[in-house]
Amino acid sequence: MSPTSFILVAIDGGAASGKSSTARALSERFHLLHADTGSYYRALSARLLHSGVSPAAPAAVRAELTDLHLGTHCSGRHAQLTIGGDPVPEADLRSDAVNAAVSHFAALPEVRAALLPYQRGLADLARTHGFQGLVMEGRDIGSVIFPHADLRIFLHADPAERARRRAREGQLDAVAERDRLDSSRENSPMTCPAGAVAIDTSHLALPAVVERIAALITSRLLGG
Ligand code: C5P
């Protein structure tokens, strides 16, 4: 394989599997644009809830989404979704109401279709902004958004350990229930795609996970 000058890294995994901390550390190490796509689904969910739209009413969801203008605010290496020019406040993204509703909104084809071209477009944004690459984390990045990414990683972790991680962050978040919904939905279910590198993070500290993936990125950049 020849050396690559721009690297596309897809990281998928369940709720609280360590995706965000890992992706953030890699973005700093390799100067990659970081896209946390869970926060994009959260932003749309917060907006829809704010407008009084329920996931049980797909026609209303579709109507609300057609009027939304999605954009990006680059905060350092982090690509934040903006709606109508404004990022959604972090507290709204992580609210209990959004935690409870996001997987139901994310199962709707209308919601996924609204985000698909946006997410793919971030690779060009990373190139034009002079990043060394893009690290995108989510549930369907290696399977649907970028199936030909240079590196596809799938992080696993024991459900009890993941629930403990969320509780330590002070969040009320039914991670097992979200995983069940995310893995069993018809549209772009969470899955470890064939050819992805699977890593169990249950008993692995963050630096060890980062080192493992960093070695793979370095090897790709050098043409290994
Ligand atoms: O990553 P995070 O836990 O913040 O994701 C919130 C929710 O967004 C997930 O539980 C899932 O329903 C949805 N999601 C998705 N596809 C992605 C990223 C997140 O369906 N690529």
Side-chain angles (χ1 to χ4, degrees):
M1 206 186 273
S2 58
T4 178
S5 55
F6 183 90
I7 188 153
L8 195 45
V9 182
I11 303 184
D12 290 300
S17 57
K19 297 185 303 292
S20 289
S21 311
T22 304
R24 211 174 304 118
L26 292 168
S27 84
E28 279 166 28
R29 169 100 62 111
F30 293 98
H31 189 48
L32 311 175
L33 184 65
H34 170 213
D36 166 8
T37 64
S39 73
Y40 305 162
Y41 284 91
R42 288 171 177 277
L44 289 192
S45 302
R47 173 59 179 247
L48 289 160
L49 288 174
H50 183 75
S51 304
V53 176
S54 146
V61 168
R62 200 174 316 125
E64 179 77 12
L65 291 178
T66 47
D67 288 340
L68 296 187
H69 178 72
L70 304 185
T72 308
H73 170 70
C74 286
S75 162
R77 296 187 180 90
H78 189 65
Q80 256 182 312
L81 177 78
T82 58
I83 302 178
D86 297 316
V88 178
E90 191 64 24
D92 293 355
L93 298 181
R94 312 279 152 199
S95 72
D96 295 345
V98 167
N99 278 343
V102 62
S103 290
H104 297 283
F105 281 119
L108 300 176
E110 292 80 359
V111 172
R112 306 205 75 81
L115 284 175
L116 187 138
Y118 173 78
Q119 292 168 101
R120 289 196 176 143
L122 289 177
D124 283 338
L125 188 86
R127 280 192 184 89
T128 53
H129 280 63
F131 286 94
Q132 172 80 72
L134 172 69
V135 55
M136 183 173 282
E137 47 154 317
R139 303 293 189 290
D140 62 342
I141 311 307
S143 56
V144 174
I145 307 299
F146 291 120
H148 303 296
D150 298 291
L151 194 55
R152 293 178 304 156
I153 307 287
F154 192 88
L155 299 183
H156 294 273
D158 174 55
E161 170 55 23
R162 291 189 287 125
R164 274 193 293 277
R165 288 176 189 170
R166 275 294 190 263
R168 277 199 297 270
E169 291 165 3
Q171 284 195 54
L172 188 65
D173 187 3
V175 294
E177 174 61 3
R178 279 206 288 131
D179 281 0
R180 191 187 65 73
L181 291 168
D182 294 341
S183 316
S184 60
R185 68 184 173 216
E186 201 173 313
N187 301 292
S188 306
M190 172 171 75
T191 179
C192 177
V197 177
I199 302 176
D200 186 342
T201 71
S202 310
H203 308 291
L204 218 49
L206 173 69
V209 178
V210 172
E211 283 315 316
R212 244 178 102 175
I213 304 174
L216 295 169
I217 293 178
T218 302
S219 154
R220 295 295 193 283
L221 288 171
L222 295 175

